[in-house]
Amino acid sequence: MSRKLKNILVTGGAGFIGSNFINYLFGLSATGSKEFMDSGFEGRIVNVDCLTYAGNLENLAMVEEKFGKGVLEGERRYFFEKVDICDRAEIERIFRQYDIDTVIHFAAESHVDRSILGPEAFIRTNVMGTFTLLDVARNYWGCSLGNQRDDVLFHHISTDEVYGSLGETGYFTETTPYDPRSPYSSSKASSDHIVMAYYHTYGLPITLSNCTNNYGPYQFPEKLLPLMISNIRDGKNLPVYGEGKNIRDWIYVEDHNRAVWQIVNSGRAGEKYNIGGENEWQNIKLLHKVIELASPKVGRTADEVEKTIVHVKDRPGHDARYAIDCSKIKKELGWERRMTFEQGLQLTVNWYLEHQEWVDHILSGEYKNWISANYGDRK
Ligand code: NAD
Ligand code: TYD
């Protein structure tokens, strides 16, 4: 752990990965897993999130109680700001007010299917939002090629989808040329390029990570795994796009977050790091596995649940296969995954089945009532 981190601005901290990250930094793993309680973080976090449909502060209730509003003002280490990352004046205020020295940027529109139906929000948040944060950081920190600071850092979270689609063999490395296909992945690719440009042109200290598909608690139930688990619970159909032969590489969310934390602490400025699960699954085979684990817990046989699989129209431009070569982060930073897939998938299935209220809240939008009851109606 080499960098001194005092005041971290986390964007998108109310979403799936960001809220797991904040819990992890404060030693509060969502599933109570001991192997994810060793962040050693001692500073303050400012969570900036505008709470789109995907942001849910319920994920951070314990953090708020133990480190936020629940403690004496002088001892407070967690602050929430309901702010849009495209709002330059507000982002400038936050940098000044909290004297931000580190940005860890998760906020994004993140669902491929939504990007196909409505790309504009993706360009706005993922491209313009990232630009706004970079530009405010550069000005506030006074960075230039002649003034490269080593006491500040901007870490950008990205995806393996920027590299495009693989055939049956091969892996994405950090030098694979970008070849994004969906509005989502192309907006993330744009933001990655702008991040790199700020390093090369203005000397802003940045690091960047590209990760494979995450799974675990707090994921909005529109993505494959939480959607399927919730539908199994409710006896609904399980919609598989096309033949279900597309391949994704799955990583447990807290293993991703530990990798991000290691990069932020010890990664080299100007470098990008691939993060992967080395755990490829065809969608249909993964679904069989989820059915095997979830069926007994909802009092149905796997054979019964298998009959609810329906093959639906394929996603346009559906990428065939993603797979990451993550040897760089392993070699340079000594990062290793701690969660086996067997264990992580069972934990995840159990978590969604045991947190029906969370799923129902976020799907119905009811969590918004919870937020206004607990936080008032901030703008
Ligand atoms: P998510 O959709 O669950 O959460 C996104 C969060 O960003 C939400 O809390 C939302 O309210 C907030 N947000 C959106 N627009 C905003 C704006 N304009 N201003 C402020 N806040 C805004 O997403 P996630 O799955 O947690 O993904 C987090 C990051 O990780 C994204 O950058 C995504 O591209 C990247 N990523 C995700 C995966 C994955 O499998 N989910 C894999 C690799 C990389
Ligand atoms: P998703 O969770 O949306 O992540 P991404 O598209 O970013 O990889 O989808 C994972 C895979 O599952 C992808 O190949 C699309 C497929 N899929 C289905 O077959 N059915 C569904 O209902 C969803 C949401 C996804």
Side-chain angles (χ1 to χ4, degrees), residues 295-322:
S295 304
K297 305 221 162 244
V298 298
R300 293 157 70 206
T301 67
D303 284 347
E304 252 177 280
V305 178
E306 285 282 339
K307 291 191 187 111
T308 59
I309 294 179
V310 286
H311 289 268
V312 299
K313 193 163 168 274
D314 209 350
R315 174 187 279 173
H318 196 170
D319 289 338
R321 174 172 167 256
Y322 302 140

Side-chain angles (χ1 to χ4, degrees), residues 56-70:
N56 184 355
L57 289 176
E58 286 174 315
N59 308 354
L60 293 161
M62 189 66 89
V63 169
E64 187 71 88
E65 189 190 315
K66 291 193 154 187
F67 301 96
K69 286 192 304 192

Side-chain angles (χ1 to χ4, degrees), residues 53-87:
Y53 75 97
N56 184 355
L57 289 176
E58 286 174 315
N59 308 354
L60 293 161
M62 189 66 89
V63 169
E64 187 71 88
E65 189 190 315
K66 291 193 154 187
F67 301 96
K69 286 192 304 192
V71 298
L72 292 173
E73 200 51 40
E75 290 163 24
R76 199 165 164 184
R77 294 177 57 206
Y78 171 74
F79 302 83
F80 172 67
E81 292 274 0
K82 184 173 185 294
V83 163
D84 191 315
I85 57 166
C86 300
D87 185 340

Side-chain angles (χ1 to χ4, degrees), residues 11-19 48-56 83-86 105-111 121 124-126 129 156-161 184 188 209-215 218-220 222-223 250-251 256:
T11 70
F16 163 45
I17 306 177
S19 64
V48 167
D49 195 302
C50 71
L51 303 179
T52 66
Y53 75 97
N56 184 355
V83 163
D84 191 315
I85 57 166
C86 300
H105 176 34
F106 292 94
E109 287 292 339
S110 68
H111 189 43
R124 183 181 174 278
T125 287
N126 300 359
H156 178 60
I157 315 290
S158 192
T159 165
D160 58 354
E161 305 191 23
Y184 164 66
K188 292 296 290 186
S209 53
N210 297 81
C211 188
T212 52
N213 287 58
N214 285 222
Y215 71 97
Y218 301 139
Q219 187 168 32
F220 193 87
E222 64 186 347
K223 305 264 170 64
W250 294 91
I251 185 169
H256 176 194

Side-chain angles (χ1 to χ4, degrees), residues 127-181:
V127 183
M128 286 307 293
T130 302
F131 157 73
T132 305
L133 289 165
L134 286 164
D135 210 50
V136 172
R138 168 171 85 97
N139 282 321
Y140 184 74
W141 293 335
C143 294
S144 68
L145 283 180
N147 181 29
Q148 277 183 309
R149 297 181 53 175
D150 57 11
D151 56 340
V152 295
L153 184 77
F154 189 111
H155 181 75
H156 178 60
I157 315 290
S158 192
T159 165
D160 58 354
E161 305 191 23
V162 298
Y163 297 119
S165 181
L166 286 167
E168 279 174 19
T169 57
Y171 296 92
F172 299 131
T173 71
E174 285 82 359
T175 54
T176 302
Y178 277 26
D179 186 21
R181 314 295 182 93

